[in-house]
């Protein structure tokens, strides 16, 4: 099991809120990345949360400086639109690249990235919420959760996997920042239609919240604010997961 801290970055600072709003400052991303590496994080996720909504690219300099501080896999997302953006991020030090909005707008880009760089490079990040408008009861959103994509979560996840996504990062907008636990129903539903590794995100608030997400089918668990503000440590989560019989590094 992988435990992954997520750095949501806006204007050069790590921020975190509840349900994607009421964001508050959590620190410098480069400094925080170094701390998480030292604490035993298995990977690190760096998401420029306003790049797509602001119609701009991720800040490559910040990615490069972050990559210099860590010796664990680094996934970077935000404003990634095509193979050119992916290449620049890989050259800046990213190991994997996450796509959200651009993939929804032009699904073929998933296959283009996978064909050029390999599926292992591409993480399909999905921000989803409960909705009565879709058959599965979950809908996909874009632009940092600001817009409904009009897509059913399970149909989109299955399509993304078929096109070549190497991993799914599933974030529950309803649970995001609430610290009430992962949306295990959503995790289990996506697990049933996707053969690739699945990262559960959104809702972590206590060490005992992580095991149920694993039980629902997650291959990795991701959290942000509980790590950023010192409420939980990476080691705390790993000790609980190990105690529940889940293998951890």
């Amino acid at each position: 099991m992988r435990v992954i801290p997520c750095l949501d970055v806006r204007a050069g600072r790590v921020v975190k809120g509840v349900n994607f709003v009421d964001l508050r400052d959590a620190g410098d991303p480069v400094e925080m990345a170094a701390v998480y590496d030292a604490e035993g994080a298995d990977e690190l996720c760096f998401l420029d949360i306003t790049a797509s909504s602001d119609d701009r690219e991720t800040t490559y300099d910040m990615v490069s400086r972050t990559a210099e501080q860590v010796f664990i896999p680094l996934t970077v997302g935000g404003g990634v639109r095509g193979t050119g953006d992916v290449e620049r991020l890989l050259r800046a030090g990213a190991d994997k690249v996450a796509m959200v909005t651009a993939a929804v707008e032009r699904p073929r880009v998933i296959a283009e990235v996978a064909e050029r760089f390999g599926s292992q490079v591409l993480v399909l990040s999905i921000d989803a919420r409960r909705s009565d408008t879709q058959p599965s009861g979950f809908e996909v959103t874009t632009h940092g959760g600001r817009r409904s994509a009009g897509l059913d979560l399970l149909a989109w996840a299955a399509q993304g996997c078929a096109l070549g996504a190497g991993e799914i990062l599933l974030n529950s907008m309803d649970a995001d920042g609430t610290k009430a636990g992962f949306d295990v129903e959503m995790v289990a539903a996506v697990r049933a239609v996707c053969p690739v590794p699945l990262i559960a995100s959104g809702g972590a608030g206590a060490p005992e919240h992580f095991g149920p997400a694993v039980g629902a089918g997650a291959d990795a668990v991701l959290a942000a604010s509980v790590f950023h503000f010192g409420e939980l440590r990476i080691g705390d989560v790993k000790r609980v997961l190990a105690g529940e019989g889940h293998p951890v590094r």
Side-chain angles (χ1 to χ4, degrees):
M1 278 306 304
R2 291 171 289 152
V3 178
I4 306 173
C6 182
L7 304 178
D8 293 326
V9 178
R10 183 182 69 173
R13 300 288 293 179
V14 177
V15 295
K16 193 59 189 172
V18 178
N19 305 132
F20 283 40
V21 297
D22 297 328
L23 302 177
R24 56 177 174 148
D25 187 276
D28 177 80
V30 179
E31 293 176 0
M32 295 178 72
V35 169
Y36 288 136
D37 189 2
E39 286 187 352
D42 296 299
E43 296 186 14
L44 190 67
C45 191
F46 179 111
L47 300 179
D48 189 329
I49 62 172
T50 58
S52 289
S53 59
D54 292 348
D55 193 27
R56 61 173 173 78
E57 298 177 333
T58 295
T59 305
Y60 295 107
D61 176 64
M62 188 176 299
V63 173
S64 180
R65 288 189 292 116
T66 301
E68 290 173 355
Q69 296 296 319
V70 301
F71 300 92
I72 52 178
L74 173 64
T75 297
V76 180
V80 182
R81 298 174 181 83
T83 55
D85 296 326
V86 173
E87 182 174 2
R88 284 189 287 273
L89 285 171
L90 293 176
R91 290 184 182 278
D95 298 287
K96 295 185 280 187
V97 175
M99 299 189 76
V100 188
T101 301
V104 169
E105 294 176 343
R106 191 171 72 87
R108 176 63 191 168
V109 74
I110 298 173
E112 292 170 359
V113 172
E115 288 165 6
R116 181 169 175 181
F117 302 103
S119 292
Q120 79 285 348
V121 162
L122 182 59
V123 178
L124 180 60
S125 183
I126 306 177
D127 296 329
R129 62 190 174 200
R130 292 175 181 268
S131 172
D132 294 333
T133 65
Q134 298 298 333
S136 70
F138 302 104
E139 71 170 351
V140 177
T141 68
T142 62
H143 295 81
R146 293 170 178 80
R147 302 181 192 175
S148 170
L151 295 173
D152 181 80
L153 168 61
L154 301 191
W156 174 233
Q159 182 183 3
C161 291
L163 285 168
E167 196 164 31
I168 299 289
L169 169 53
L170 178 65
N171 185 50
S172 168
M173 286 189 58
D174 299 314
D176 180 75
T178 64
K179 303 179 187 177
F182 292 89
D183 189 332
V184 294
E185 182 182 354
M186 181 186 287
V187 172
V190 172
R191 174 77 287 162
V193 300
C194 279
V196 302
L198 175 62
I199 305 169
S201 170
E208 58 267 23
H209 287 161
F210 292 83
V214 178
D219 299 285
V221 282
L222 180 149
S225 60
V226 289
F227 292 144
H228 300 341
F229 298 114
E231 298 166 49
L232 290 180
R233 303 292 291 270
I234 303 294
D236 298 333
V237 174
K238 288 192 172 187
R239 278 190 291 274
V240 170
L241 286 173
E244 294 173 349
H246 304 296
V248 295
R249 292 186 180 87

